[in-house]
Amino acid sequence: MLIFITVLMLNVWAIPADDIFLPNINILEELGKMKIMETRLESMEKEMERLRTENTAQGKELDTLRETTNDVKTKMDDLIKRNEVSKVAFSVSLSSSDGPHISLHTLIYKHIFLNTGDAYDANTGIFTAPMKGVYVFRLFSKAHGSSDKAVVAGLFNNGQHEISTYARQSSGFIGSSNGVSLLLEKGDKIYVNLYPGYWIFDNEHHHSTFSGHLLFPMRSEPT
């Protein structure tokens, strides 16, 4: 506004003193023009302030959106990592017959169909829970029928008996299956024991199997 006033005053001053009062010089008209320019300038200033305010608000919205997007991405990455970690499953078979023994005997299932997560050890026959969660286990045992022997194998959790497979008949093939869901802590050990005096059959056709998988993980309680 000062610029317009200055320009106008210079124009006025540029007019010779004798001409100021001549009929062709209309001071009121010039002042009216200056008022119009002043009004336009104020309008422009208000519009600039409005745009500045809008830009500030939009900038804040963009910052909020950016923070939200980053938060969602972080959570998605965490879910993906947790999903990858929680993939635990195994399925194995004996591959050969075993028993009878004079005491409990841990069966080593040597043929591996699947061992996602590498929680099953084919050297010991032991599955070690990699995390706390609910696990599902299935056991199938087969043997030749005999008048004095049966197939009796049990699923053990850290030395504690959980379930058994049992079958007896005088001849032919016999089989038994069982399954269970268990809440395990990280590091718990699951394995199958053949009971004393009993036997179990398997060959390249994989009749006797042991399988398990993580149904869902669970968070450990804070100590």
Side-chain angles (χ1 to χ4, degrees), residues 154-172:
L155 184 76
F156 282 71
N157 176 13
N158 296 328
Q160 178 68 40
H161 173 267
E162 297 288 356
I163 59 172
S164 290
T165 54
Y166 172 87
R168 179 193 290 272
Q169 65 185 34
S170 59
S171 62

Side-chain angles (χ1 to χ4, degrees), residues 31-193:
L31 290 174
K33 292 179 181 180
M34 186 173 70
K35 183 62 176 178
I36 292 173
M37 288 188 289
E38 180 182 354
T39 302
R40 289 179 179 177
L41 180 60
E42 290 177 352
S43 176
M44 291 174 62
E45 288 176 344
K46 290 180 180 179
E47 180 65 16
M48 290 177 63
E49 182 63 27
R50 184 186 68 81
L51 292 174
R52 188 181 298 110
T53 302
E54 287 185 358
N55 288 337
T56 301
Q58 290 177 353
K60 291 181 179 179
E61 290 179 0
L62 287 173
D63 290 340
T64 301
L65 181 60
R66 190 178 294 109
E67 291 175 0
T68 302
T69 302
N70 291 337
D71 184 55
V72 170
K73 184 178 183 301
T74 299
K75 290 181 179 179
M76 287 296 295
D77 290 342
D78 182 58
L79 286 173
I80 291 172
K81 290 178 182 178
R82 288 168 61 183
N83 182 58
E84 290 296 326
V85 170
S86 64
K87 290 180 179 179
V88 181
F90 75 98
S91 186
V92 293
S93 71
L94 283 173
S95 292
S96 61
S97 299
D98 203 341
H101 300 278
I102 61 175
S103 60
L104 276 176
H105 174 73
T106 299
L107 295 172
I108 300 177
Y109 294 79
K110 296 181 178 180
H111 181 83
I112 298 177
F113 297 103
L114 174 72
N115 192 19
T116 301
D118 295 322
Y120 174 78
D121 188 343
N123 296 313
T124 63
I126 297 174
F127 170 84
T128 303
M131 67 186 73
K132 181 178 181 179
V134 174
Y135 294 79
V136 177
F137 297 97
R138 299 187 183 279
L139 184 62
F140 187 86
S141 304
K142 192 172 185 179
H144 290 289
S146 171
S147 58
D148 60 343
K149 290 189 292 294
V151 54
V152 184
L155 184 76
F156 282 71
N157 176 13
N158 296 328
Q160 178 68 40
H161 173 267
E162 297 288 356
I163 59 172
S164 290
T165 54
Y166 172 87
R168 179 193 290 272
Q169 65 185 34
S170 59
S171 62
F173 275 109
I174 53 175
S176 176
S177 62
N178 209 343
V180 66
S181 296
L182 298 173
L183 173 59
L184 302 181
E185 297 289 340
K186 180 179 180 179
D188 283 350
K189 298 185 182 301
I190 303 294
Y191 48 92
V192 179
N193 279 336

